[in-house]
Amino acid sequence: MADTGWPGCSKSLKGVILDMCGVLYESGEGDGVAIPGSIEAVKKLKASDLQLRFCTNETQATREKFVAKLQRLGFDISVSEVFSPAPAAVAVLKERALRPHLLVYDGLLPEFDSVDKTNPNCVVIGDAAEQFSYQNLNEAFSVLIGMENPMLFSLGQGRYYKETDGLKLDVGVYMKALEYACDLKAEVVGKPSPTFFQSVLNDMGLQPHEALMIGDDLVNDVGGAQHCGMKGVQVRTGKYRPSDERNSTVMADGTVDNLAQAVDMILNQRH
Amino acid sequence: MADTGWPGCSKSLKGVILDMCGVLYESGEGDGVAIPGSIEAVKKLKASDLQLRFCTNETQATREKFVAKLQRLGFDISVSEVFSPAPAAVAVLKERALRPHLLVYDGLLPEFDSVDKTNPNCVVIGDAAEQFSYQNLNEAFSVLIGMENPMLFSLGQGRYYKETDGLKLDVGVYMKALEYACDLKAEVVGKPSPTFFQSVLNDMGLQPHEALMIGDDLVNDVGGAQHCGMKGVQVRTGKYRPSDERNSTVMADGTVDNLAQAVDMILNQRH
C-alpha cells in the first residue's frame, strides 16, 4: 500500500505550490531578506520533474513589482508562475460588471487600472497597512452602508503577518471590522478560497491529490489547500507559531523547519 | 388586567433611563446640537415622580466634560446621574488588579489616572476615533498577542454612530477586529452588558420591570435593556434606521419619533 501521508505522498506528486512571504523570504524594510536555503530550494524544485507555482496573498504591490523584488533577492521566478488575489478580483469584478471602491495599498492600484471605478457598487479591501486609517475605513463603511445590498470583497482573510520589526495586522482583521459594522459576510478572493487554489491547479493541469502546498499560514495555506483535496505542509518560518502544532481545527500533513528541509524531504522520497 | 405593553406599562413605571447621543442631542462639530423637544422632555421627566438616569457608551471625554457639554446645550443634568463605561472599567480593573494598555480617545485618559498602567496585562479599547490608526491598532494587537492569556476589554460594542457630517465607526468594529486578530472574545464594559444596566437599576433602587430604557440603538439600548427585564423603546432619531423596525433579533416595545413624543406618551398614561 502506498504511503499517502507526508513525506510518503511525495512519490506520487506532480506539482508543488509555494506560499511566498514567510516561506521564501521574511518581509520588512526594503526588500526584506531571503530565508536561508530557500533560493537553493526553489532551484532544486525547478531542476526536478515537478511543476512549480507560487501562490501569495500579497496585495501591497503589483505582481510585476513583487516578482522583481523576489528576483532581486535571488529567486528564479517569473510573473506567469505567480498567483495573487488582485488579478483574481479584477476577473470577478469584470465578470459581474461591478465597480469597486478600493481600499488597498497605493502600490496595488495599477492592478485595477482596467476596472471602472465610477459610482461604486461594491468595496474591495486589500492589505492597506498604514492606509487603514480611521478616515479610510469610515469611507469604505459609508460606501457599503449606503448600498441596498452591500457587497464586500476581501483580498485574503489573514490575521497578521510578520515583518522584520514585528507582527502586523493583515486584511482579514479589517474585513471582520467591516463585516460587523455592516452586518454582512465578505467574499474572500485569494487564499483560502477554493476558487483561488483551483485556478492554480487548472494552470498546472493537475488534480488536487497530485499537488502539495507549502506555507507558513496554518489556516490560509495549509487548511485552504487541504480543503481543496491537496496535502498541506507548514514551515516553521514566517508567521509560524508553536501553538499552530496544537491547533484544534487545522492539522498540517507535515511540519518542517523551513522550505529547504521540505524540498529535500520531497526530492529524497522521489529518488 | 393591566396593559403591560407600551405605552400602557408607563402606569407602573418608577424610573426611566435615557441614552444620550442620538436621543438628547446629535453629535458633530463642537458640542453638536440638541434634538428638538429633548431639553423640554428632560425637564418634564424631572418634574414628574419618575426617577431619571442617563446611560451612555460615550468614551471620548470624561463624564465631567461630557456633562458640561450637555449643560451648555441646555440640559438639566449632573454628573451623578450619568453612567458611562470608563468608570465601570476602572472599577473592574482595580477589582482584578489589572494594568491596562489603553487605546482610547485622549480626552478619556483622565478617567484612568488612578490606574496603574505599567507593564500591561490587559488591553482596554474605547471609541478612539481618529486614534484608531493602523499603528495604534497594531500596538494594541502586539500587546495582546504577547500575553499568555490575552484579555481585551471593550468600552461598548456599538457598530457606528451618527455625527452631523455622517455615520462614524464605533468601538465595536475595532473590538471585532482585535478579537479576530488574536482569536479571543472581548469583555464588554458598558451597554449592552447586563452588569452595566444592573448598576443603574441598583442606583435607583428599582427592579427591572419598574424601569424603561429609551435609546436610538436597537441592539445596545433596547435589546440590552430587554435582556435585563426592562422595557425598551427606540426613538427615530440618532442612528435609527427604518430597517430597525424589521429587525429579526430585537423588537422594541415601542418606536417613537423622538424623546419628546416618548415622554408625552409616558406622562399622559400616568395622569
Side-chain angles (χ1 to χ4, degrees):
Chain A
M1 194 178 126
D3 179 358
T4 55
W6 162 264
C9 67
S10 305
K11 288 171 196 150
S12 56
L13 276 187
K14 293 189 178 169
V16 172
I17 306 174
L18 302 184
D19 176 35
M20 299 175 74
C21 182
V23 175
L24 302 183
Y25 73 105
E26 302 274 8
S27 71
E29 288 298 307
D31 287 343
V33 289
I35 292 173
S38 288
I39 294 170
E40 187 60 29
V42 169
K43 268 191 203 141
K44 287 183 190 169
L45 282 174
K46 288 215 164 176
S48 78
D49 58 342
L50 289 164
Q51 292 203 59
L52 177 63
R53 295 293 184 278
F54 302 91
C55 188
T56 177
N57 270 6
E58 162 69 36
T59 60
Q60 286 205 357
T62 60
R63 272 194 302 179
E64 285 69 19
K65 291 219 165 185
F66 185 52
V67 166
K69 175 173 90 169
L70 272 287
Q71 289 169 342
R72 280 195 302 274
L73 287 173
F75 288 96
D76 176 7
I77 185 171
S78 65
V79 170
S80 63
E81 297 165 325
V82 174
F83 288 76
S84 70
V90 168
V92 170
L93 294 169
K94 289 187 172 175
E95 196 181 299
R96 303 198 212 161
L98 292 170
R99 302 176 306 275
H101 168 91
L102 299 173
L103 175 46
V104 301
Y105 207 71
D106 277 346
L108 192 71
L109 287 173
E111 293 272 20
F112 293 88
D113 274 350
S114 66
V115 178
D116 180 9
K117 292 173 283 284
T118 57
N119 189 20
N121 55 8
C122 71
V123 168
V124 174
I125 61 170
D127 169 22
E130 291 73 21
Q131 290 170 252
F132 276 132
S133 63
Y134 185 66
Q135 192 185 331
N136 286 347
L137 206 66
N138 242 322
E139 204 181 318
F141 164 69
S142 299
V143 172
L144 283 169
I145 205 79
M147 293 174 189
E148 181 112 22
N149 293 304
M151 203 183 299
L152 172 65
F153 293 92
S154 184
L155 305 182
Q157 62 176 31
R159 295 166 192 264
Y160 54 85
Y161 51 90
K162 193 180 170 190
E163 297 214 325
T164 43
D165 62 342
L167 298 175
K168 297 293 164 74
L169 291 169
D170 199 359
V171 62
V173 169
Y174 291 88
M175 174 190 84
K176 288 290 171 185
L178 288 173
E179 283 187 345
Y180 180 71
C182 306
D183 198 15
L184 57 76
K185 187 97 186 105
E187 193 168 325
V188 176
V189 181
K191 297 178 286 186
S193 153
T195 322
F196 190 63
F197 282 114
Q198 194 56 55
S199 70
V200 188
L201 288 171
N202 291 349
D203 191 61
M204 294 194 284
L206 298 183
Q207 296 297 312
H209 69 272
E210 299 171 318
L212 169 77
M213 172 82 205
I214 302 175
D216 65 331
D217 187 316
L218 186 69
V219 172
N220 293 297
D221 295 329
V222 175
Q226 288 175 336
H227 192 69
C228 286
M230 288 185 261
K231 289 276 186 291
V233 165
Q234 190 181 21
V235 288
R236 294 194 187 94
T237 53
K239 75 177 68 168
Y240 162 86
R241 288 159 57 89
S243 60
D244 288 345
E245 299 189 47
R246 306 183 297 271
N247 190 288
S248 58
T249 316
V250 181
M251 193 169 76
D253 292 289
T255 309
V256 292
D257 285 343
N258 49 43
L259 178 63
Q261 190 183 53
V263 170
D264 284 345
M265 286 171 81
I266 293 168
L267 298 181
N268 282 340
Q269 285 283 326
R270 296 174 70 81
H271 296 311
Chain B
M1 192 182 124
D3 179 358
T4 55
W6 163 264
C9 67
S10 307
K11 288 168 194 152
S12 56
L13 276 187
K14 294 188 178 170
V16 173
I17 306 174
L18 301 184
D19 176 35
M20 300 174 74
C21 181
V23 174
L24 302 182
Y25 74 105
E26 303 273 9
S27 70
E29 288 297 306
D31 286 343
V33 290
I35 292 171
S38 287
I39 294 170
E40 187 60 30
V42 169
K43 269 191 202 139
K44 286 182 190 172
L45 282 174
K46 289 215 161 174
S48 78
D49 58 342
L50 289 163
Q51 291 203 60
L52 178 62
R53 295 292 185 278
F54 302 91
C55 189
T56 177
N57 270 6
E58 162 68 36
T59 59
Q60 286 206 355
T62 60
R63 274 194 301 179
E64 286 69 19
K65 290 220 166 185
F66 184 54
V67 166
K69 175 173 91 169
L70 273 286
Q71 290 170 342
R72 281 196 299 275
L73 287 172
F75 288 96
D76 176 7
I77 186 171
S78 64
V79 170
S80 63
E81 297 164 328
V82 174
F83 289 75
S84 69
V90 168
V92 170
L93 294 170
K94 289 186 173 176
E95 197 181 297
R96 303 199 211 160
L98 291 170
R99 302 175 307 274
H101 169 91
L102 298 173
L103 175 47
V104 302
Y105 207 71
D106 277 346
L108 192 70
L109 288 172
E111 293 272 22
F112 293 88
D113 274 351
S114 66
V115 177
D116 180 8
K117 292 174 282 288
T118 56
N119 189 18
N121 55 8
C122 71
V123 168
V124 174
I125 61 169
D127 169 23
E130 290 75 20
Q131 292 171 251
F132 276 132
S133 63
Y134 184 65
Q135 193 185 333
N136 286 347
L137 207 65
N138 242 323
E139 203 181 318
F141 163 69
S142 298
V143 172
L144 282 169
I145 207 77
M147 292 174 188
E148 180 113 21
N149 293 303
M151 203 183 299
L152 173 65
F153 293 92
S154 184
L155 305 182
Q157 62 176 34
R159 294 167 192 265
Y160 54 85
Y161 52 91
K162 195 182 170 187
E163 296 215 327
T164 43
D165 61 342
L167 299 175
K168 297 292 165 72
L169 291 170
D170 200 357
V171 61
V173 170
Y174 291 89
M175 174 189 84
K176 288 290 173 185
L178 288 174
E179 283 188 344
Y180 179 70
C182 307
D183 197 15
L184 57 76
K185 186 98 186 102
E187 193 168 325
V188 176
V189 180
K191 297 179 285 187
S193 154
T195 321
F196 191 61
F197 282 114
Q198 194 56 52
S199 69
V200 188
L201 290 170
N202 291 349
D203 190 60
M204 295 194 285
L206 298 183
Q207 296 296 310
H209 68 272
E210 299 170 318
L212 171 76
M213 173 82 205
I214 303 176
D216 65 331
D217 187 316
L218 186 68
V219 172
N220 293 297
D221 295 329
V222 174
Q226 288 175 336
H227 192 69
C228 285
M230 290 184 260
K231 290 275 187 288
V233 165
Q234 190 181 21
V235 288
R236 294 194 186 93
T237 52
K239 76 178 68 169
Y240 163 87
R241 291 159 55 90
S243 60
D244 288 345
E245 298 190 47
R246 305 184 298 271
N247 189 288
S248 58
T249 316
V250 181
M251 194 169 72
D253 292 288
T255 310
V256 293
D257 286 343
N258 49 42
L259 178 63
Q261 189 183 54
V263 169
D264 284 345
M265 286 172 81
I266 292 166
L267 298 180
N268 282 341
Q269 285 283 326
R270 298 175 69 81
H271 296 309

